[in-house]
């Protein structure tokens, strides 16, 4: 079982830039989601930020289901500057992968709880570390995308973009670099891990 905890209001407000679409995932029953707290926070954001759509759906960790659920909302999503995702770490990574050139930010941290863990065949994974780095790394988890779980940049051992530990695995930090480049957020690479974790994203343009 997993539990998602909202990031602080200060962090979430700092991520809310321009026209904003919010995506809530209320799907997986193995994940405790703070629905009431998220709803109250989103009401406050709507009063102070330009929230153009709030979408509540389920199982956004499944790419095919995500595309189907968001199909009717694509016009407003394409017009948005920022997508705020309230879900577990797998859900945010799936959304970020689908919208490569959008600013897609996680509003939650994911923790593991004792008990049954479901098994779903997915292309991404969440380390359930409870201190999510995704907002500073373009929606790509350095804990699971890097064989060494490095959080302050690549080791230097990659060759031709492939990991030195797993020759069949693409270097996670090279993926992160390319994603931040698309987002025009390469300045994020200047920050150390605590900065990325606690404050999410650089305000520099």
């Amino acid at each position: 079982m997993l539990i998602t905890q909202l990031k602080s209001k200060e962090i979430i407000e700092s991520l809310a830039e321009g026209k904003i679409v919010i995506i809530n995932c209320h799907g997986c029953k193995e994940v405790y989601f703070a629905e009431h707290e998220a709803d109250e926070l989103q009401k406050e954001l709507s009063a102070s930020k330009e929230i153009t759509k709030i979408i509540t759906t389920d199982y956004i960790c499944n790419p095919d289901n995500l595309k189907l659920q968001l199909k009717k909302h694509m016009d407003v999503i394409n017009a948005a500057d920022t997508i705020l995702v309230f879900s577990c770490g797998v859900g945010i990574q799936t959304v970020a992968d689908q919208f490569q050139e959008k600013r897609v930010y996680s509003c939650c941290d994911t923790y593991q709880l004792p008990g049954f863990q479901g098994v779903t065949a997915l292309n991404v994974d969440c380390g359930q570390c409870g201190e999510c780095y995704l907002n500073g790394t373009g929606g790509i988890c350095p804990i699971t995308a890097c064989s060494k779980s490095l959080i302050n940049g690549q080791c230097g051992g990659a060759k031709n973009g492939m990991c030195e530990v797993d020759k069949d695995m693409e270097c996670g930090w090279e993926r992160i670099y390319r994603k931040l480049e698309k987002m025009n957020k390469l300045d994020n690479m200047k920050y150390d891990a605590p900065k990325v974790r606690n404050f999410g994203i650089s305000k520099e343009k």
Side-chain angles (χ1 to χ4, degrees):
M1 186 174 181
L2 310 177
I3 182 170
T4 55
Q5 177 176 297
L6 297 188
K7 290 182 178 293
S8 72
K9 180 181 177 182
E10 178 185 11
I11 290 176
I12 295 174
E13 285 183 333
S14 75
L15 300 171
E17 300 175 318
K19 295 180 179 178
I20 302 157
V21 168
I22 292 175
I23 298 177
N24 294 301
C25 182
H26 290 182
C28 183
K29 297 308 178 185
E30 294 164 21
V31 178
Y32 169 76
F33 179 71
E35 293 184 26
H36 176 72
E37 293 89 338
D39 182 60
E40 291 301 311
L41 176 57
Q42 289 166 26
K43 288 178 181 177
E44 293 182 28
L45 287 176
S46 296
S48 60
K49 302 288 184 176
E50 190 175 359
I51 309 296
T52 57
K53 190 73 176 180
I54 297 178
I55 303 166
T56 299
T57 182
D58 56 15
Y59 297 103
I60 65 172
C61 57
N62 183 300
D64 293 331
N65 180 64
L66 177 66
K67 290 178 182 178
L68 181 64
Q69 296 290 343
L70 298 185
K71 187 176 180 179
K72 63 183 178 182
H73 304 295
M74 287 308 298
D75 286 346
V76 68
I77 292 174
N78 287 333
D81 300 300
T82 302
I83 302 174
L84 299 181
V85 183
F86 289 76
S87 79
C88 73
V90 176
I92 169 63
Q93 290 180 76
T94 307
V95 176
D97 184 62
Q98 180 162 330
F99 299 100
Q100 286 283 325
E101 298 184 6
K102 290 284 186 185
R103 297 195 294 258
V104 180
Y105 298 140
S106 171
C107 296
C108 302
D109 291 317
T110 304
Y111 298 80
Q112 182 175 353
L113 292 178
F116 176 73
Q117 295 288 311
V119 178
T120 306
L122 299 169
N123 294 325
V124 295
D125 193 10
C126 173
Q128 304 165 22
C129 64
E131 42 190 23
C132 192
Y133 296 92
L134 293 173
N135 292 339
T137 57
I140 299 171
C141 177
I143 304 294
T144 59
C146 171
S147 292
K148 300 177 183 179
S149 296
L150 299 179
I151 56 176
N152 280 316
Q154 66 186 121
C155 65
K159 293 182 179 179
N160 299 318
M162 304 305 288
C163 175
E164 69 172 348
V165 176
D166 183 347
K167 306 299 183 185
D168 297 322
M169 181 178 180
E170 192 175 7
C171 172
W173 276 98
E174 291 202 19
R175 290 176 54 208
I176 290 169
Y177 181 93
R178 292 197 301 271
K179 181 64 183 296
L180 292 176
E181 188 174 38
K182 286 182 179 180
M183 298 170 63
N184 194 30
K185 288 291 184 180
L186 283 177
D187 280 346
N188 288 6
M189 299 290 284
K190 298 178 182 178
Y191 298 118
D192 60 11
K195 173 74 175 180
V196 169
R197 184 183 70 228
N198 293 325
F199 300 101
I201 206 72
S202 166
K203 283 302 195 179
E204 297 174 13
K205 301 296 182 184

